[in-house]
Structures are given as structure tokens and as C-alpha cells.
Amino acid sequence: MGGTYLLTASETTAAVTEALRAGYRHVDAAEGYATEAEVAEGLRQSGVPRGDVFITSKVYPTDSNMLVKDCDAVIASCEGSLAKMQMDSFDLYLIHTARAGEKRVEQWKGLVELQKRGKCKSIGVSNYAIDHLEEIRQAGLPMPAANQLECTRSASGRRCCVT
């Protein structure tokens, strides 16, 4: 169904419920959207089994005080999101944006650890440019399974692929 960004709580629950009843099988949530509990409620109300729906969520790289999260804070964010959604794991968990500066690789290590713990089946990033992806490669870490990109006029021209 795409994302739940800019929806109110009630709109989110209703949109997810109706989208899943209409046959959609992917829901995109995020810590920063503050709609994770409502996404989970929409899933419950739809009657579609959890195993039939691909759930993506994202960790925002900073906290509410705009402090950049470290590895442990990224892990805690994921665990908090899973608790809000009353789920054991995400199908795909992403770092929402590359704005972590020097802590980008540390945050990625958090996602790698979450995957090892079984909290995320796949891990990835969102809106990372080539140089951000190269940081991960140069650190010798597993590469992201996905780089979810914003596709708008303002985002066009961004170089985002690594071969």
C-alpha cells in the first residue's frame, strides 16, 4: 500500500485496513511517522494473517532531541517499534536517512545485529547516496538488501546505486 507518512492515527488504521482487504500485501511504516501502532491495528482489523503481509519499518537516525543514535539506540528503537506493533520481527527494516554523519556505519552495525537476533528478516537503508553505501562496503560489513528511494522532482538526479 505504500507509506503511512502524513496520515493521522485514524486515517492510518483505516487506510491499512482497507488496503489489505483490497489485496495489498506490503505496508511501509516508520518510527518517524509515529503511526506504527495504528499500522498494526489496521493489520489486525483487516483479518489478513501477519504472515501474508510484508511489513517494512524504518529507524530515524536521530532521537527527539536531534542527537544522533548509536548502535545500541538503533537496536532499542527497533525493539520499541516491534513492541508498538506487537510483532516479533520486521520483514524489512531500514535506516530512514543518511543524516547520521560519522555514526552511519555504527548505525548499520546495529541493523546487522538486529538481523542476527532475528528481529529483521532483511535490512537496508533509505535515501542513501553512493558514498554512503561505499562507507558500509569499506567497513567490510554486509551490504544493504535495499535502498528505498524517494522518487520526486526534488530528489531527482541523486546518484544512489553501487555495482
Side-chain angles (χ1 to χ4, degrees), residues 30-122:
E31 174 186 50
Y33 302 165
T35 56
E36 291 168 317
E38 292 79 9
V39 166
E41 182 58 28
L43 174 60
R44 280 188 286 287
Q45 288 182 17
S46 75
V48 176
R50 165 63 181 98
D52 291 351
V53 180
F54 192 93
I55 303 287
T56 299
S57 194
K58 298 180 273 303
V59 59
Y60 204 74
T62 59
D63 64 18
S64 59
N65 295 317
M66 299 307 293
L67 298 173
V68 177
K69 293 176 184 169
D70 62 12
C71 178
D72 291 337
V74 165
I75 292 170
S77 287
C78 180
E79 291 171 344
S81 293
L82 287 168
K84 287 177 196 167
M85 296 185 80
Q86 299 177 12
M87 296 180 183
D88 296 324
S89 66
F90 290 117
D91 296 296
L92 176 62
Y93 195 61
L94 308 171
I95 298 174
H96 204 142
T97 180
R99 295 184 183 150
E102 295 176 4
K103 290 193 178 178
R104 263 190 299 274
V105 170
E106 184 176 351
Q107 290 183 352
W108 182 248
K109 288 177 182 178
L111 266 66
V112 170
E113 179 60 28
L114 285 161
Q115 187 176 39
K116 286 179 186 174
R117 294 181 187 182
K119 301 293 182 182
C120 313
K121 294 174 186 164
S122 292

